[in-house]
Amino acid sequence: MITIFKNRKDIPGDMEYVELNDLFFNQNTVSFIDKQAEKIIEMIDGSKLISKYKIYSRFDEIALDIDRLSTGCKTVLNVLYYPNKVFCLKECGNNALEILYHFENGHVFSEYALIPFIMDTVAVQSESGKKIINDYEELREWWDSEK
């Protein structure tokens, strides 16, 4: 399950935090793109992966470089390929969040609540420890009350 951090100080010192998902994707993740990415790219951006570095745009079926994916899609792919790093959620839309919140592994950070209505069980980690949450309202309450 995905682990959520609300405070940067709660991210373990041995875990790298990535704020700029777009840049990280373009410099690192893009070289790992494989069949796992196809469904995610289609679900989030409505685009089709046609080669390792090319996608068909959902708008005019124009071939574009993969760096044209949305930052939300890039964030999800970063988490997929680098589950031991912590990625910032602030540029994710609901379509990306719905996929992220169903991941088996990965770590994300946001100071404010970013919760899709459809979610699975997630782990939240703060200075008071790790807690498992499987309900939208309970997660919202944690985000609102956690210092």
Side-chain angles (χ1 to χ4, degrees):
M1 79 192 73
I2 201 88
T3 299
I4 302 167
F5 297 95
K6 180 185 175 189
N7 297 301
R8 289 204 39 193
K9 65 179 172 47
D10 295 328
I11 298 172
D14 62 343
M15 292 187 83
E16 181 182 349
Y17 170 64
V18 178
E19 176 91 19
L20 303 173
N21 284 295
D22 198 84
L23 181 64
F24 186 89
F25 176 88
N26 293 344
Q27 292 181 345
N28 300 285
T29 307
V30 71
S31 63
F32 292 104
I33 295 298
D34 59 13
K35 291 281 185 194
Q36 294 181 85
E38 278 186 59
K39 186 175 181 183
I40 291 171
I41 290 170
E42 192 168 328
M43 290 172 66
I44 296 173
D45 282 0
S47 297
K48 182 177 172 142
L49 186 66
I50 54 175
S51 72
K52 188 168 188 151
Y53 302 108
K54 294 282 186 189
I55 57 171
Y56 273 130
S57 165
R58 69 177 168 181
F59 299 109
D60 295 326
E61 291 195 10
I62 297 171
L64 300 171
D65 291 333
I66 199 165
D67 68 336
R68 294 302 199 83
L69 290 172
S70 69
T71 305
C73 187
K74 289 179 179 182
T75 301
V76 172
L77 293 171
N78 287 342
V79 173
L80 175 70
Y81 291 105
Y82 293 92
N84 295 320
K85 295 185 185 301
V86 180
F87 294 94
C88 181
L89 285 181
K90 70 181 170 187
E91 295 179 299
C92 287
N94 222 31
N95 55 350
L97 292 172
E98 286 179 4
I99 293 170
L100 262 178
Y101 277 61
H102 287 86
F103 271 18
E104 296 285 325
N105 297 306
H107 300 83
V108 295
F109 165 80
S110 180
E111 294 169 328
Y112 47 87
L114 289 168
I115 311 168
F117 287 112
I118 301 168
M119 59 166 277
D120 274 350
T121 302
V122 298
V124 295
Q125 189 166 333
S126 64
E127 63 184 14
S128 56
K130 199 169 194 172
K131 179 179 178 180
I132 306 300
I133 296 176
N134 59 11
D135 176 71
Y136 175 91
E137 291 298 327
E138 185 181 359
L139 183 55
R140 178 65 139 179
E141 184 179 314
W142 173 82
W143 232 305
D144 291 342
S145 65
E146 195 64 34
K147 292 182 174 46

